[in-house]
Amino acid sequence: MGFGLVLAAFAGAMVALQTIFNNRTDVHMGSWATTTWVLGMGFIASLACSLIFEGGRTFDLQNMKLWYAFSGLIGVGVVICLVLGVKILGPTFSVSVTLTSQLGFALLFDSMGWLGLEKVAFDWKQLAGVAIIVAGIYVFKFGGKKKTEPPELQASAFKTL
């Protein structure tokens, strides 16, 4: 279990890092070009690793349901939505909302047994946990004092309009 926690924490760090890198790439290339570049590089890297570590199993799709193979299309949605979300909301707020949404939907899929998952008993404490995270994001984004600029900077802003 400890190793699983380390892997999950590392994945979270990589998501945050990738989101920032994607945002910086988006500034230079645009959102769809960034998505193409990111997923293209990911395809090359994952194909190479798969061939090295799993060999011929890479192309063994006999026992897999066909619709699972389309998860790469979901990846396009993930990357483009994160790139645009960061552009609109900023990295911290966007990743916070993304991870909370991910947690909420994982709870839903687990408790309903959807998509071939083993059904896990729903507990209201789980929902309370997600609600507390949502409340934390709200406090993080909207709960602090608003920064106000000194009057001389506010006046100069109107001159530039």
Side-chain angles (χ1 to χ4, degrees):
M1 183 169 165
F3 186 59
L5 290 172
V6 169
L7 290 174
F10 189 65
M14 288 190 295
V15 167
L17 187 61
Q18 182 187 25
T19 300
I20 293 168
F21 280 23
N22 291 354
N23 178 258
R24 297 291 82 210
T25 304
D26 178 58
V27 169
H28 299 286
M29 300 177 75
S31 300
W32 284 107
T34 295
T35 302
T36 302
W37 184 251
V38 166
L39 293 177
M41 288 189 65
F43 170 75
I44 292 167
S46 61
L47 178 63
C49 289
S50 180
L51 291 172
I52 290 168
F53 294 109
E54 297 177 357
R57 284 189 46 209
T58 299
F59 304 104
D60 184 13
L61 306 176
Q62 295 172 13
N63 298 320
M64 185 177 74
K65 293 182 181 175
L66 179 62
W67 56 285
Y68 289 152
F70 290 98
S71 66
L73 298 177
I74 296 169
V76 172
V78 169
V79 173
I80 194 70
C81 288
L82 269 172
V83 166
L84 295 173
V86 167
K87 191 183 290 188
I88 296 166
L89 302 174
T92 304
F93 189 41
S94 180
V95 170
S96 298
V97 171
T98 300
L99 294 178
T100 304
S101 175
Q102 184 178 0
L103 180 62
F105 277 98
L107 175 61
L108 176 67
F109 296 153
D110 272 351
S111 63
M112 301 301 280
W114 290 347
L115 303 173
L117 297 174
E118 184 178 326
K119 191 172 183 175
V120 176
F122 177 79
D123 185 345
W124 288 101
K125 289 184 266 183
Q126 296 165 328
L127 183 60
V130 174
I132 289 169
I133 292 171
V134 170
I137 292 172
Y138 183 83
V139 168
F140 172 80
K141 184 63 178 174
F142 303 109
K145 283 187 170 183
K146 294 189 179 203
K147 294 181 182 178
T148 57
E149 294 179 357
E152 60 273 4
L153 288 178
Q154 290 177 354
S156 67
F158 286 112
K159 289 179 186 175
T160 60
L161 294 175

